[in-house]
Amino acid sequence: MTKHVKEKAVRTTCPYCGVGCGIVASVDDAGEVTVCGDEEHPSNYGRLCSKGSALAETLDLDDRLLEPEIDGMQVEWASALDHVAGVFKKTIEKHGPDSVAFYVSGQLLTEDYYVANKLMKGFIGSANIDTNSRLCMASSVAGHMRAFGSDTVPGTFEDLEQANLIVLTGSNLAWCHPVLYQRIVAAKTKRPEMRIVVIDPRRTVTCDSAYLHLPLKPDTDVAIYLGLLHALQGSSVIDETYISDHTQGFAAALKRASEFDLVTTAELTGLDKADLQKFYHWVAETEKTVTVYSQGVNQSTTGTDKVNAIINTHLATGRIGRPGMGPFSVTGQPNAMGGREVGGLANQLAAHMKIENPEHRDLVQSFWRSPTIPKKPGLKAVDLFKAMSMGEIKAVWVIATNPVDSLPNASEVENALCSCPFVVVSDIVRTTDTTRHANVLLPATGWGEKDGTVTNSERRISRQRRFLRAPGNTRSDWWMITEVAHRMGWAEHFDYPDAATIFREHASMSAANNDGSRDFDIGAYSDISPEQYDAISPFQWPAARSRSPEGSDKRFFADGQFFTENGRATFVAVEHQRPENGAGLTLNTGRVRDHWHTMTRTGKSSRLSAHLAEPFVEINKSDAEQIGILDAELASVESVCGRVIIRTLITERQQEGSAFIPFHWTDQFTAKGRVNSLITSDIDPISGQPGFKSTPVQISPFGAKWYGFAVSQNRFRKPGADYWSSAKIDVGWRTELGGLSVPGDWTEFAETLFEQSYDAEKWVSYFDAAHGIYRFAIIDGKRLIGALFLDRRPVAVSRAWVSAQLGESVVDFDVLSGRANAGQPDPGAVVCACFGVGTNQILSSIRNDNCRTVTDVGKRVRAGTNCGSCIPEIQTLLGENILNG
Ligand code: SF4
């Protein structure tokens, strides 16, 4: 493994989620990186979750893309850039500007995003630049635009701490925004009267801190909020003065809500009437209410209506623009907000300006001194790849994202890239499901190697700072984009010596002809020096020229003024529509606690891979019985688009009639687990965001005739099984296996798998042919270098224990037993990734050491004492075992 070369320790920002935690990163003399939470950063005050804490483990250079390549051959940068610019130029000359596209990412820094948008919209003259943030929060953008006339997130994280009621709608905050969740839990500990309600079809770990969980039927959120508006109608909670002074459209919205009495709403949503009434009552009596919403709301074919249904209730009660209250969209990606600020979506212009507005177009064009500006929005993500399939997009540049795994109908996206004549991919990773389709690969710098800014969910702009030298021939994304712009003939417009210069231009544009007419204004940073840029402390926008560079204390909408033409907020008369599902189960998708996106980074960490090492489909017991499948067996999950093979997880958390599969696993980690190959391309008609959370699927037993589990020092190149799924462990890999037909010779199978011929000196084995049980261990000297367990049933060995034996001195038949003998500790499945504490250790602390609180467990076994991401799971174990025992 190659190590980075030492540079220095710096304050930077986590590259994962929209909480945007501050990090202090240092590099020691040996080149080892350590990270810890930045106690001075106002997003996290020193906290980090499991993913942030493990960042140092994801920085190795294994499978890094280090050199530019054309058609798989290493080339000089100049050749690669000439080629990209040349093909884009020729394509535009021949087929027009709309024949090319950029597909970019919420992982980009604002400076990268800014120049990509400028090149496409201002110089190429097309709006065909869209971002994977389309998949994450486009419905929130569209909902904000309809209600406020601007894409403004009015709240701050402090509002969540000050609220008396927090309604988490479609948000598994405990796993998806862990540090924000921990801030809420800490506030609730100080003020136990604070209530939390979770509205989610699944009983997630977030529900463990909630007073009330409303397990609604999928996609019935609009009905809940129409019901809420109906329930509030006529009560003193409706703020008539606010409505008449600051809003429009209330009567029509109310009319739409008129049919949503308690009985109807309970029926539509599948909720218990008393629970629903309790929720409505709590909202009515709690002025300081914040509604947090996330992907459960956005990733829906009715996502924009869901957002407006929520905002309507805040406008009707005047609970917006004041501390401790308001609608609050939390973003998934680290720089989804920065992308919105620069106009990274196909339907936006830069600096929160509107593509349909001729004044805005003039302003942007003259500011950029650009030859052109598109008059209409470009293709949104799903449509962009459809157009590619139809041959309309002839050259695409995919930047910092993995659409073959992350877009819906993922196999069609793969076909689209295959059919596109020219595909450029810039990435930090050499082997992804997307890079394999690239004509040109451009090696990008990654986290820790690049400089720029990101904006978190509460509009806080923070610096990502470089503390490692760029490895190989990697370059920042903004550099590649501007170099291509130079070669396309626009050198003087893309003359940026550094990221600071780009940021200054971005800040300056936000202030151009603004005077408060647009929400996004960071004009205070228009003239900063490179040194000041380097020293920027996290600040919230707006930060207009007239205000201090530390940001503003302005609270959006405090004065009841909005960014619509008449300054009034708009109630949108939303309708409840629920897509018909027909037979089968409704599939929901989402994150797991310790993985990020398509695992290109978190998949490198054994700690992060230990919590959930394999993809799974979670279903309810009664559905499993109907299907005829047992826990831990392999299932086939099929939709009209595709099929995956996946392990079953049978729980009571999952509603009957529904299923859940995490979206992280790709062809790099499993044989057939790309869940987005199941998702249809149906989109919200307003935002263009796909509905990832309610796909009709059929589940059936896969019919595996054998199951296997292996640990190995090297990753298996060809597992040779119908099903496999691999995860990193401390000194190698663990792999689950399964097959439809039983190999004739298991010894031969084992030899092929490990790529080692059977050598009785090294191999020990145990066969019980009558029961279909075969076990092999490869022991070099006394050290275990591989083990394989095979069975007709799902293999029942302790994964944690066997994985821990790899590379260790072992006793032959102990290993073949697959579990710890008396006197040997078996930690069980990992709960606490930071300290590698397993379920068995936590259960022992509860049952044998009388631990009664999370603090007790932490003192006894350390679990939950670092990042805190596992605290909800410790609480669950405490709840189940104290109650039961
Ligand atoms: Fe990173 Fe975790 Fe903070 Fe999100 S909550 S920014 S993933 S440390």
Side-chain angles (χ1 to χ4, degrees):
M1 181 194 308
T2 318
K3 275 195 182 143
H4 287 272
V5 179
K6 181 190 169 187
E7 225 168 57
K8 58 181 179 177
V10 297
R11 291 202 136 83
T12 183
T13 310
C14 176
Y16 292 127
C17 85
V19 181
C21 295
I23 281 178
V24 178
S26 2
V27 193
D28 71 14
D29 288 340
E32 293 290 344
V33 176
T34 51
V35 300
C36 62
D38 181 353
E39 292 183 359
E40 290 174 23
H41 197 289
S43 296
N44 58 319
Y45 296 107
R47 296 177 178 95
L48 290 180
C49 75
S50 49
K51 292 186 285 287
S53 304
L55 265 165
E57 294 155 40
T58 66
L59 299 175
D60 68 61
L61 301 182
D62 293 349
D63 202 30
R64 270 297 293 270
L65 177 62
L66 295 171
E67 301 291 335
E69 291 179 22
I70 298 177
D71 296 329
M73 304 293 291
Q74 270 188 25
V75 294
E76 298 294 320
W77 265 108
S79 310
L81 295 166
D82 285 345
H83 187 51
V84 173
V87 176
F88 266 76
K89 222 171 153 199
K90 268 195 203 135
T91 308
I92 294 163
E93 279 162 13
K94 195 162 171 204
H95 303 285
D98 287 335
S99 65
V100 301
F102 293 166
Y103 185 60
V104 300
S105 165
Q107 300 286 306
L108 285 178
L109 303 182
T110 298
E111 293 74 3
D112 304 320
Y113 243 137
Y114 178 86
V115 291
N117 186 55
K118 178 176 174 179
L119 175 58
M120 182 53 79
K121 293 195 180 129
F123 290 82
I124 290 176
S126 168
N128 281 349
I129 170 169
D130 211 40
T131 157
N132 62 10
S133 297
R134 176 74 58 198
L135 317 178
C136 165
M137 49 74 224
S139 293
S140 280
V141 175
H144 294 157
M145 296 297 291
R146 291 204 298 186
F148 309 142
S150 60
D151 176 22
T152 314
V153 176
T156 68
F157 291 165
E158 275 181 7
D159 289 330
L160 295 171
E161 292 166 326
Q162 292 165 4
N164 293 323
L165 173 64
I166 297 177
V167 185
L168 297 167
T169 308
S171 162
N172 182 7
L173 209 70
W175 277 15
C176 302
H177 299 89
V179 166
L180 188 54
Y181 177 75
Q182 286 163 33
R183 283 181 65 165
I184 293 172
V185 171
K188 188 168 175 278
T189 307
K190 277 195 203 141
R191 291 190 300 114
E193 69 277 13
M194 176 198 269
R195 286 180 178 135
I196 299 173
V197 174
V198 176
I199 301 177
D200 195 318
R202 301 171 64 216
R203 184 170 177 83
T204 63
V205 285
T206 303
C207 300
D208 293 346
S209 63
Y211 275 96
L212 182 63
H213 169 218
L214 297 174
L216 77 174
K217 286 185 199 163
D219 267 334
T220 58
D221 316 57
V222 170
I224 287 201
Y225 283 94
L226 283 170
L228 174 59
L229 197 58
H230 178 83
L232 298 177
Q233 184 192 2
S235 76
S236 59
V237 180
I238 296 290
D239 190 337
E240 301 287 356
T241 311
Y242 188 87
I243 291 167
S244 79
D245 289 354
H246 301 300
T247 71
Q248 55 197 346
F250 181 57
L254 202 55
K255 193 160 171 238
R256 282 275 161 80
S258 62
E259 288 163 17
F260 289 77
D261 58 48
L262 193 66
V263 175
T264 310
T265 310
E267 216 166 89
L268 287 169
T269 57
L271 293 171
D272 180 75
K273 267 199 314 239
D275 284 348
L276 202 51
Q277 194 161 27
K278 194 187 286 180
F279 167 55
Y280 291 165
H281 177 68
W282 285 353
V283 174
E285 70 175 13
T286 315
E287 185 176 35
K288 287 195 168 184
T289 295
V290 176
T291 310
V292 174
Y293 48 97
S294 189
Q295 276 34 319
V297 164
N298 293 331
Q299 291 182 331
S300 160
T301 52
T302 56
T304 309
D305 278 355
K306 290 183 186 181
V307 170
N308 286 107
I310 291 167
I311 293 173
N312 283 352
T313 63
H314 281 271
L315 292 174
T317 51
R319 292 173 182 167
I320 187 166
R322 288 184 286 147
M325 61 187 79
F328 200 139
S329 141
V330 286
T331 45
Q333 296 204 74
N335 201 25
M337 293 282 275
R340 285 145 78 166
E341 289 155 15
V342 303
L345 291 159
N347 52 322
Q348 295 179 323
L349 273 185
H352 279 203
M353 285 186 262
K354 295 168 189 157
I355 222 162
E356 299 85 357
N357 182 324
E359 282 175 28
H360 286 178
R361 289 201 300 269
D362 286 349
L363 194 155
V364 173
Q365 192 176 356
S366 63
F367 183 89
W368 280 339
R369 294 180 296 111
S370 73
T372 177
I373 200 89
K375 292 190 175 56
K376 61 176 177 52
L379 294 166
K380 295 172 184 152
V382 169
D383 291 337
L384 193 153
F385 283 88
K386 277 187 185 165
M388 202 180 294
S389 289
M390 292 187 293
E392 291 165 20
I393 300 293
K394 297 174 193 309
V396 65
W397 189 350
V398 177
I399 307 178
T401 185
N402 195 358
V404 169
D405 295 313
S406 55
L407 272 165
N409 206 350
S411 301
E412 273 309 302
V413 170
E414 188 159 28
N415 292 339
L417 283 172
C418 286
S419 66
C420 186
F422 190 61
V423 178
V424 182
V425 178
S426 23
D427 208 306
I428 63 169
V429 180
R430 175 65 186 78
T431 319
T432 72
D433 295 344
T434 297
T435 56
R436 64 187 175 201
H437 301 290
N439 300 96
V440 179
L441 283 173
L442 301 176
T445 43
W447 182 78
E449 300 156 3
K450 58 186 184 177
D451 263 316
T453 53
V454 288
T455 309
N456 75 354
S457 298
E458 58 163 354
R459 311 186 316 275
R460 190 178 297 285
I461 295 178
S462 301
R463 281 292 318 275
Q464 260 195 31
R465 293 188 176 87
R466 192 165 71 96
F467 57 91
L468 298 165
R469 260 178 228 155
N473 252 324
T474 57
R475 297 281 187 279
S476 34
D477 289 286
W478 68 260
W479 181 86
M480 300 176 207
I481 296 161
T482 56
E483 285 295 316
V484 168
H486 289 192
R487 287 161 167 81
M488 291 179 78
W490 300 302
E492 64 172 306
H493 301 278
F494 288 86
D495 183 16
Y496 302 109
D498 49 31
T501 313
I502 302 172
F503 185 78
R504 271 203 304 275
E505 184 176 307
H506 167 55
S508 194
M509 176 184 264
S510 76
N513 287 7
N514 194 333
D515 299 325
S517 60
R518 303 191 304 271
D519 63 340
F520 180 66
D521 188 343
I522 54 167
Y525 291 82
S526 302
D527 304 311
I528 56 170
S529 65
E531 293 73 30
Q532 286 170 316
Y533 175 77
D534 200 38
I536 286 177
S537 294
F539 71 96
Q540 275 178 302
W541 58 263
R545 275 184 209 276
S546 53
R547 296 173 186 271
S548 79
E550 278 73 48
S552 129
D553 53 4
K554 178 181 164 86
R555 180 170 280 280
F556 277 113
F557 313 143
D559 54 2
Q561 287 302 299
F562 295 84
F563 294 94
T564 51
E565 287 207 347
N566 61 8
R568 288 170 175 270
T570 306
F571 282 94
V572 180
V574 294
E575 265 185 285
H576 165 71
Q577 307 166 48
R578 190 178 171 222
E580 280 308 313
N581 196 350
L585 305 187
T586 300
L587 175 68
N588 187 355
T589 64
R591 296 186 192 284
V592 299
R593 190 190 77 188
D594 288 353
H595 276 308
W596 177 256
H597 280 197
T598 56
M599 292 166 57
T600 48
R601 287 180 292 186
T602 51
K604 286 174 168 244
S605 161
S606 54
R607 275 203 293 159
L608 295 180
S609 300
H611 181 236
L612 290 167
E614 189 185 11
F616 56 87
V617 55
E618 192 168 355
I619 48 175
N620 184 280
K621 194 167 169 230
S622 78
D623 288 324
E625 278 168 8
Q626 282 208 7
I627 294 164
I629 200 160
L630 298 173
D631 198 30
E633 289 187 341
L634 289 173
S636 160
V637 184
E638 224 166 324
S639 76
V640 292
C641 298
R643 174 172 178 253
V644 300
I645 304 162
I646 200 155
R647 185 82 54 186
T648 56
L649 176 65
I650 298 171
T651 71
E652 289 304 321
R653 292 188 295 262
Q654 200 64 35
Q655 271 190 37
E656 275 181 47
S658 71
F660 174 83
I661 301 181
F663 62 65
H664 306 286
W665 275 267
T666 68
D667 284 355
Q668 307 303 316
F669 291 93
T670 186
K672 209 161 173 30
R674 283 194 300 137
V675 69
N676 285 331
S677 63
L678 298 175
I679 310 297
T680 66
S681 307
D682 295 344
I683 53 171
D684 178 295
I686 300 151
S687 67
Q689 180 153 359
F692 282 102
K693 292 186 179 284
S694 54
T695 303
V697 291
Q698 302 287 340
I699 301 185
S700 55
F702 174 58
K705 294 283 185 299
W706 62 272
Y707 290 84
F709 173 72
V711 291
S712 55
Q713 287 184 315
N714 298 318
R715 205 167 172 172
F716 296 135
R717 279 190 297 168
K718 289 183 192 149
D722 298 301
Y723 172 82
W724 61 266
S725 176
S726 294
K728 186 89 181 66
I729 56 177
D730 278 348
V731 289
W733 292 83
R734 56 182 270 187
T735 302
E736 301 285 346
L737 299 153
L740 290 170
S741 56
V742 180
D745 183 338
W746 281 117
T747 303
E748 201 178 294
F749 176 87
E751 284 183 305
T752 313
L753 189 68
F754 287 100
E755 297 180 54
Q756 278 204 17
S757 54
Y758 197 92
D759 166 5
E761 289 286 297
K762 279 190 181 176
W763 288 70
V764 288
S765 50
Y766 165 82
F767 296 168
D768 174 358
H771 295 98
I773 295 171
Y774 298 83
R775 296 182 172 186
F776 300 87
I778 313 171
I779 299 169
D780 193 2
K782 279 205 164 297
R783 250 172 12 99
L784 182 72
I785 58 171
L788 172 64
F789 301 83
L790 299 151
D791 201 327
R792 287 182 192 145
R793 302 280 319 130
V795 173
V797 299
S798 167
R799 269 62 174 168
W801 184 81
V802 173
S803 300
Q805 305 315 301
L806 192 68
E808 298 292 319
S809 282
V810 291
V811 177
D812 308 356
F813 283 92
D814 278 4
V815 174
L816 291 182
S817 75
R819 56 175 49 85
N821 288 336
Q824 286 181 300
D826 175 4
V830 167
V831 174
C832 169
C834 296
F835 297 117
V837 184
T839 320
N840 293 346
Q841 291 166 289
I842 295 170
L843 286 177
S844 167
S845 76
I846 297 168
R847 290 173 186 159
N848 306 328
D849 303 320
N850 208 26
C851 291
R852 287 295 172 266
T853 63
V854 170
T855 313
D856 290 347
V857 171
K859 281 188 187 149
R860 187 74 191 89
V861 292
R862 297 179 78 198
T865 57
N866 186 38
C867 78
S869 299
C870 60
I871 287 174
E873 281 158 88
I874 299 171
Q875 273 164 338
T876 304
L877 288 171
L878 279 163
E880 287 171 358
N881 289 280
I882 293 174
L883 218 64
N884 298 337

